[in-house]
Amino acid sequence: MDNSIYITLSRQLALFRDMDATANNIANANTTGYSTEHINFRSYLVRDINQGSTNQMAFAHDISSYRNNQDGPLKTTDNPLDVAINGRGYFAVQTPLGIRYTRAGSFQLSVDGTLINAQNYPVLDTANQPIIFPEDTTEVEIGTAGNIKVNGDDFGNLNVVQFDNEQLLEPAGDTLFMTDAQPKPADPEKVKVIHGVLEGSNVNAVKEMTHMIEVSRAVGST
């Protein structure tokens, strides 16, 4: 078979993955705490040994993906359970598959007073325990260090963590991430919790749409 077919196929597969990532970014342009994902490509050379040829063939390979870790825009909601993170920190939540990490701070209370995220997973404190508010809770304040006051009294702390290499975090669906890397407490000088605010998606919709058109044209011309 003509080797050009394999070269074309490698490029097409890489472009299709790029298209999928771009479409997912566009779909999450309004998702709280979403970070844009991109695909890394590189070419690698393979010697064509067909009939003794010494020519080299350049194949395309999508070697990895990476996230844009720039903070998203902040939107004031004045909801006492909404929080955003200014800086490179993450909230910890408990899921049936273990602890996951997220920047989406749209929290609410369950029937029994447990602080939960949008997917109904318990939000954890610094001891990795669910945060359960007392029945007589009338006022909630959350400080920049994630410290919580209930009815004016100190109550607990959100588990706000950071990682040495955020790119090691793997998407686990619904703006959640998982990793085998050990988190460490967020540096209060660099990572601050903002109360009554939500972080929007950092997707640049116009840029992503433009890129999708470019990829679509590249697929058609390959």
Side-chain angles (χ1 to χ4, degrees), residues 194-216:
I194 307 176
H195 191 204
V197 171
L198 288 178
E199 179 188 13
S201 167
N202 67 7
V203 172
N204 183 326
V206 174
K207 183 177 180 179
E208 294 298 319
M209 286 294 296
T210 301
H211 183 64
M212 176 173 280
I213 294 172
E214 292 172 349
V215 174
S216 180

Side-chain angles (χ1 to χ4, degrees), residues 61-72:
H61 179 39
D62 46 336
I63 58 174
S64 64
S65 62
Y66 69 96
R67 283 185 307 281
N68 173 6
N69 288 328
Q70 181 179 359
D71 289 2

Side-chain angles (χ1 to χ4, degrees), residues 2 21 26 28 54 61 68 79-80 83 99 135 142 144 148-149 157 177 179 182 185 190-191 196 202 212 216 222:
D2 189 344
I26 294 172
N28 286 282
T54 59
H61 179 39
N68 173 6
N79 185 325
V83 284
I99 296 177
E135 292 184 4
I142 302 177
T144 58
I148 303 171
K149 286 188 175 184
N157 284 78
F177 296 96
T179 181
Q182 288 298 312
K190 298 179 180 180
V191 178
N202 67 7
M212 176 173 280
S216 180
T222 302

Side-chain angles (χ1 to χ4, degrees), residues 107-130:
F107 300 150
Q108 54 191 320
L109 295 183
S110 67
V111 174
D112 67 355
T114 300
L115 187 67
I116 56 177
N117 73 345
Q119 291 77 43
N120 297 321
Y121 297 137
V123 180
L124 302 179
D125 63 14
T126 51
N128 281 333
Q129 296 298 313

